[in-house]
Amino acid sequence: MEKGAVEDLTELLKGTLEGCVLEIIGREETYGYAITRRLNELGFADVVEGTVYTILLRLERNGLVQVTKRPSEQGPPRKFYALNDAGRAELATFWAKWTYVKTRIDKLKEGGR
Amino acid sequence: MEKGAVEDLTELLKGTLEGCVLEIIGREETYGYAITRRLNELGFADVVEGTVYTILLRLERNGLVQVTKRPSEQGPPRKFYALNDAGRAELATFWAKWTYVKTRIDKLKEGGR
DNA sequence: TCCGGTACTCAGTGACACCGAGTACCACTA
DNA sequence: TAGTGGTACTCGGTGTCACTGAGTACCGGA
């Protein structure tokens, strides 16, 4: 990431990171470590395992995902996550909210009257 | 927007609301009550005075604004806020972060490989 | 005189990303 | 065989933010 302007996105990621994780899981069943790597690839360079696991635990606690434990070829067993119906509904809600907020903010940015 | 989907934007507004307030103040010197009305007009319907005042107090505490108290024609005196240099820098940083996050999220949304 | 609109303050709450230390499994190698 | 590094997850604690709610206060009109 180009250093300087875009360090510490913490506050801006509140709410959105969970949505991103939901979206990633929605694409295909996957696990925490891989999700972290995926987020890093996408440009969320500073997101670390600990952060993703807290989100995953919360999704599980809130009944939005179906969890399956499977052995890994290398390392400890993996917990695979897939969206259930509640999770898909939550994901749809997230995108609706995101679009809503994004359009308002951009309107304000473009001199919004 | 259809009601229902976009209620409780609280988490998504973390960080962005402060940026919006900064932007509004940057346009012209104004005061808390008016800023709240402006945000409501812009589509942030659920934002109330209390929320805006906490942001304003924080901006003041962090030395990002210059504050001038002036009597009002109707009601108690108003505290007018204007950006100082630090505030303008913070605003620029906010937009840089916002653009950065927005492009990453949208890329993910559009199937982002 | 009371109500409603204007205008600000402040202590407290809950949610979230983040941190750090810990556990543990595996493959490779010196 | 001990050590290192990559993989993989857990959990207690922290700080920041939007939000809540109760309070103070000024003003005009019914």
Side-chain angles (χ1 to χ4, degrees):
Chain A
M1 169 168 349
E2 324 76 59
K3 277 293 146 63
V6 283
E7 290 169 347
D8 193 20
L9 303 170
T10 303
E11 292 308 323
L12 242 33
L13 292 181
K14 295 275 174 79
T16 62
L17 240 201
E18 180 177 316
C20 290
V21 170
L22 239 20
E23 174 67 28
I24 290 170
I25 295 173
R27 296 280 171 82
E28 66 173 330
E29 197 192 37
T30 181
Y31 57 98
Y33 193 80
I35 294 169
T36 309
R37 293 291 84 81
R38 183 88 191 87
L39 286 168
N40 294 152
E41 273 173 46
L42 282 164
F44 302 105
D46 296 337
V47 173
V48 295
E49 281 81 12
T51 300
V52 174
Y53 290 122
T54 29
I55 292 173
L56 257 10
L57 256 8
R58 189 168 63 238
L59 295 180
E60 190 177 354
R61 198 172 59 239
N62 294 346
L64 302 174
V65 288
Q66 196 221 314
V67 187
T68 316
K69 203 166 214 168
R70 299 217 188 85
S72 163
E73 316 83 50
Q74 45 175 352
R78 295 165 173 166
K79 282 177 75 179
F80 281 82
Y81 293 82
L83 293 190
N84 59 23
D85 288 343
R88 275 181 289 273
E90 182 66 26
L91 178 58
T93 302
F94 165 69
W95 285 126
K97 287 183 183 180
W98 167 252
T99 305
Y100 187 87
V101 169
K102 190 183 67 169
T103 50
R104 312 290 139 160
I105 308 254
D106 280 340
K107 197 166 70 176
L108 170 62
K109 190 184 174 194
E110 311 312 341
R113 232 355 64 201
Chain B
M1 170 91 44
E2 331 71 63
K3 276 292 147 64
V6 284
E7 289 167 348
D8 194 19
L9 302 171
T10 302
E11 292 308 322
L12 242 34
L13 292 182
K14 293 277 172 78
T16 62
L17 239 202
E18 180 177 316
C20 291
V21 170
L22 238 20
E23 175 68 27
I24 291 171
I25 295 172
R27 295 280 172 82
E28 65 172 332
E29 198 193 36
T30 182
Y31 57 99
Y33 193 80
I35 293 169
T36 309
R37 293 292 84 82
R38 184 86 192 88
L39 286 168
N40 295 152
E41 272 173 45
L42 282 165
F44 302 105
D46 296 337
V47 173
V48 294
E49 282 80 12
T51 300
V52 174
Y53 290 122
T54 35
I55 292 173
L56 256 11
L57 257 9
R58 188 167 64 237
L59 295 181
E60 191 176 354
R61 199 171 58 239
N62 294 346
L64 302 175
V65 288
Q66 197 222 314
V67 188
T68 316
K69 202 165 213 168
R70 299 216 188 86
S72 164
E73 315 84 51
Q74 46 176 350
R78 296 165 174 168
K79 280 176 75 179
F80 280 82
Y81 294 82
L83 293 190
N84 58 23
D85 287 342
R88 275 182 288 274
E90 182 65 26
L91 178 57
T93 303
F94 165 70
W95 284 125
K97 288 183 182 179
W98 166 252
T99 304
Y100 187 87
V101 169
K102 190 183 67 169
T103 49
R104 312 290 139 161
I105 307 254
D106 281 340
K107 197 166 69 177
L108 170 61
K109 190 185 174 194
E110 310 313 340
R113 239 342 76 195

